[in-house]
PDB file of all heavy atoms in Angstrom:
ATOM      1  N   GLY A 278      35.594 -23.433  83.960  1.00  0.00           N
ATOM      2  CA  GLY A 278      34.448 -24.188  83.567  1.00  0.00           C
ATOM      3  C   GLY A 278      34.004 -23.911  82.152  1.00  0.00           C
ATOM      4  O   GLY A 278      34.784 -23.507  81.298  1.00  0.00           O
ATOM      5  N   LYS A 279      32.701 -24.143  81.935  1.00  0.00           N
ATOM      6  CA  LYS A 279      32.154 -23.991  80.595  1.00  0.00           C
ATOM      7  C   LYS A 279      31.379 -22.728  80.427  1.00  0.00           C
ATOM      8  O   LYS A 279      30.219 -22.620  80.850  1.00  0.00           O
ATOM      9  CB  LYS A 279      31.201 -25.216  80.357  1.00  0.00           C
ATOM     10  CG  LYS A 279      31.922 -26.546  80.512  1.00  0.00           C
ATOM     11  CD  LYS A 279      30.901 -27.685  80.523  1.00  0.00           C
ATOM     12  CE  LYS A 279      31.562 -29.036  80.837  1.00  0.00           C
ATOM     13  NZ  LYS A 279      30.563 -30.137  80.966  1.00  0.00           N
ATOM     14  N   PHE A 280      32.011 -21.746  79.844  1.00  0.00           N
ATOM     15  CA  PHE A 280      31.476 -20.396  79.798  1.00  0.00           C
ATOM     16  C   PHE A 280      31.587 -19.801  78.387  1.00  0.00           C
ATOM     17  O   PHE A 280      32.531 -20.069  77.686  1.00  0.00           O
ATOM     18  CB  PHE A 280      32.062 -19.444  80.813  1.00  0.00           C
ATOM     19  CG  PHE A 280      31.859 -19.820  82.253  1.00  0.00           C
ATOM     20  CD1 PHE A 280      32.801 -20.616  82.912  1.00  0.00           C
ATOM     21  CD2 PHE A 280      30.681 -19.436  82.902  1.00  0.00           C
ATOM     22  CE1 PHE A 280      32.550 -20.985  84.197  1.00  0.00           C
ATOM     23  CE2 PHE A 280      30.495 -19.789  84.224  1.00  0.00           C
ATOM     24  CZ  PHE A 280      31.396 -20.551  84.886  1.00  0.00           C
ATOM     25  N   SER A 281      30.653 -18.949  78.111  1.00  0.00           N
ATOM     26  CA  SER A 281      30.688 -18.090  76.886  1.00  0.00           C
ATOM     27  C   SER A 281      30.287 -16.687  77.297  1.00  0.00           C
ATOM     28  O   SER A 281      29.888 -16.452  78.440  1.00  0.00           O
ATOM     29  CB  SER A 281      29.798 -18.647  75.830  1.00  0.00           C
ATOM     30  OG  SER A 281      28.423 -18.489  76.170  1.00  0.00           O
ATOM     31  N   ARG A 282      30.257 -15.794  76.394  1.00  0.00           N
ATOM     32  CA  ARG A 282      29.849 -14.394  76.747  1.00  0.00           C
ATOM     33  C   ARG A 282      28.401 -14.273  77.039  1.00  0.00           C
ATOM     34  O   ARG A 282      27.981 -13.159  77.515  1.00  0.00           O
ATOM     35  CB  ARG A 282      30.313 -13.395  75.630  1.00  0.00           C
ATOM     36  CG  ARG A 282      29.633 -13.636  74.305  1.00  0.00           C
ATOM     37  CD  ARG A 282      30.193 -12.699  73.259  1.00  0.00           C
ATOM     38  NE  ARG A 282      29.573 -12.872  71.919  1.00  0.00           N
ATOM     39  CZ  ARG A 282      28.434 -12.265  71.573  1.00  0.00           C
ATOM     40  NH1 ARG A 282      27.872 -11.408  72.377  1.00  0.00           N
ATOM     41  NH2 ARG A 282      27.965 -12.462  70.353  1.00  0.00           N
ATOM     42  N   ASN A 283      27.655 -15.274  76.815  1.00  0.00           N
ATOM     43  CA  ASN A 283      26.254 -15.237  77.099  1.00  0.00           C
ATOM     44  C   ASN A 283      25.855 -16.053  78.355  1.00  0.00           C
ATOM     45  O   ASN A 283      24.688 -16.315  78.623  1.00  0.00           O
ATOM     46  CB  ASN A 283      25.393 -15.763  75.909  1.00  0.00           C
ATOM     47  CG  ASN A 283      25.560 -14.910  74.665  1.00  0.00           C
ATOM     48  OD1 ASN A 283      25.536 -13.692  74.776  1.00  0.00           O
ATOM     49  ND2 ASN A 283      25.737 -15.489  73.541  1.00  0.00           N
ATOM     50  N   SER A 284      26.849 -16.545  79.101  1.00  0.00           N
ATOM     51  CA  SER A 284      26.596 -17.432  80.193  1.00  0.00           C
ATOM     52  C   SER A 284      27.333 -17.084  81.435  1.00  0.00           C
ATOM     53  O   SER A 284      27.843 -17.923  82.154  1.00  0.00           O
ATOM     54  CB  SER A 284      26.822 -18.887  79.812  1.00  0.00           C
ATOM     55  OG  SER A 284      28.193 -19.067  79.467  1.00  0.00           O
ATOM     56  N   PHE A 285      27.424 -15.778  81.712  1.00  0.00           N
ATOM     57  CA  PHE A 285      28.159 -15.388  82.933  1.00  0.00           C
ATOM     58  C   PHE A 285      27.373 -15.690  84.228  1.00  0.00           C
ATOM     59  O   PHE A 285      26.075 -15.700  84.138  1.00  0.00           O
ATOM     60  CB  PHE A 285      28.514 -13.879  82.878  1.00  0.00           C
ATOM     61  CG  PHE A 285      29.513 -13.513  81.862  1.00  0.00           C
ATOM     62  CD1 PHE A 285      29.245 -12.653  80.826  1.00  0.00           C
ATOM     63  CD2 PHE A 285      30.766 -14.103  81.879  1.00  0.00           C
ATOM     64  CE1 PHE A 285      30.131 -12.325  79.873  1.00  0.00           C
ATOM     65  CE2 PHE A 285      31.717 -13.757  80.918  1.00  0.00           C
ATOM     66  CZ  PHE A 285      31.396 -12.908  79.912  1.00  0.00           C
ATOM     67  N   PRO A 286      28.011 -15.879  85.316  1.00  0.00           N
ATOM     68  CA  PRO A 286      27.284 -16.229  86.522  1.00  0.00           C
ATOM     69  C   PRO A 286      26.441 -15.147  87.138  1.00  0.00           C
ATOM     70  O   PRO A 286      25.384 -15.421  87.785  1.00  0.00           O
ATOM     71  CB  PRO A 286      28.403 -16.630  87.502  1.00  0.00           C
ATOM     72  CG  PRO A 286      29.653 -15.949  87.016  1.00  0.00           C
ATOM     73  CD  PRO A 286      29.490 -15.900  85.500  1.00  0.00           C
ATOM     74  N   CYS A 287      26.801 -13.909  86.900  1.00  0.00           N
ATOM     75  CA  CYS A 287      26.015 -12.746  87.458  1.00  0.00           C
ATOM     76  C   CYS A 287      25.810 -11.665  86.432  1.00  0.00           C
ATOM     77  O   CYS A 287      26.595 -11.571  85.446  1.00  0.00           O
ATOM     78  CB  CYS A 287      26.764 -12.168  88.673  1.00  0.00           C
ATOM     79  SG  CYS A 287      26.964 -13.321  90.069  1.00  0.00           S
ATOM     80  N   SER A 288      24.884 -10.820  86.663  1.00  0.00           N
ATOM     81  CA  SER A 288      24.700  -9.661  85.833  1.00  0.00           C
ATOM     82  C   SER A 288      24.067  -8.548  86.741  1.00  0.00           C
ATOM     83  O   SER A 288      23.665  -8.794  87.850  1.00  0.00           O
ATOM     84  CB  SER A 288      23.753  -9.913  84.661  1.00  0.00           C
ATOM     85  OG  SER A 288      22.382  -9.939  85.094  1.00  0.00           O
ATOM     86  N   PHE A 289      23.990  -7.341  86.206  1.00  0.00           N
ATOM     87  CA  PHE A 289      23.466  -6.269  86.975  1.00  0.00           C
ATOM     88  C   PHE A 289      21.895  -6.280  86.998  1.00  0.00           C
ATOM     89  O   PHE A 289      21.293  -5.396  87.621  1.00  0.00           O
ATOM     90  CB  PHE A 289      23.955  -4.891  86.419  1.00  0.00           C
ATOM     91  CG  PHE A 289      25.361  -4.561  86.787  1.00  0.00           C
ATOM     92  CD1 PHE A 289      26.457  -4.934  85.995  1.00  0.00           C
ATOM     93  CD2 PHE A 289      25.615  -4.009  88.023  1.00  0.00           C
ATOM     94  CE1 PHE A 289      27.747  -4.674  86.388  1.00  0.00           C
ATOM     95  CE2 PHE A 289      26.912  -3.765  88.453  1.00  0.00           C
ATOM     96  CZ  PHE A 289      28.000  -4.074  87.605  1.00  0.00           C
ATOM     97  N   ARG A 290      21.352  -7.285  86.410  1.00  0.00           N
ATOM     98  CA  ARG A 290      19.929  -7.506  86.553  1.00  0.00           C
ATOM     99  C   ARG A 290      19.589  -8.303  87.743  1.00  0.00           C
ATOM    100  O   ARG A 290      18.467  -8.413  88.227  1.00  0.00           O
ATOM    101  CB  ARG A 290      19.356  -8.215  85.295  1.00  0.00           C
ATOM    102  CG  ARG A 290      19.409  -7.358  84.038  1.00  0.00           C
ATOM    103  CD  ARG A 290      18.781  -8.088  82.864  1.00  0.00           C
ATOM    104  NE  ARG A 290      19.490  -9.272  82.509  1.00  0.00           N
ATOM    105  CZ  ARG A 290      20.533  -9.278  81.666  1.00  0.00           C
ATOM    106  NH1 ARG A 290      20.998  -8.137  81.166  1.00  0.00           N
ATOM    107  NH2 ARG A 290      21.193 -10.399  81.408  1.00  0.00           N
ATOM    108  N   ASP A 291      20.649  -8.976  88.359  1.00  0.00           N
ATOM    109  CA  ASP A 291      20.424  -9.804  89.555  1.00  0.00           C
ATOM    110  C   ASP A 291      20.171  -8.914  90.773  1.00  0.00           C
ATOM    111  O   ASP A 291      20.584  -7.718  90.774  1.00  0.00           O
ATOM    112  CB  ASP A 291      21.622 -10.727  89.786  1.00  0.00           C
ATOM    113  CG  ASP A 291      21.848 -11.700  88.681  1.00  0.00           C
ATOM    114  OD1 ASP A 291      20.888 -11.972  87.915  1.00  0.00           O
ATOM    115  OD2 ASP A 291      22.945 -12.227  88.519  1.00  0.00           O
ATOM    116  N   THR A 292      19.623  -9.504  91.835  1.00  0.00           N
ATOM    117  CA  THR A 292      19.475  -8.737  93.070  1.00  0.00           C
ATOM    118  C   THR A 292      20.814  -8.692  93.791  1.00  0.00           C
ATOM    119  O   THR A 292      21.666  -9.554  93.590  1.00  0.00           O
ATOM    120  CB  THR A 292      18.462  -9.396  93.976  1.00  0.00           C
ATOM    121  OG1 THR A 292      18.882 -10.712  94.357  1.00  0.00           O
ATOM    122  CG2 THR A 292      17.113  -9.514  93.264  1.00  0.00           C
TER     123      THR A 292
END
Side-chain angles (χ1 to χ4, degrees):
K279 305 168 184 175
F280 295 94
S281 68
R282 62 185 181 86
N283 296 317
S284 60
F285 291 120
C287 296
S288 78
F289 283 94
R290 292 184 295 275
D291 297 340
T292 64

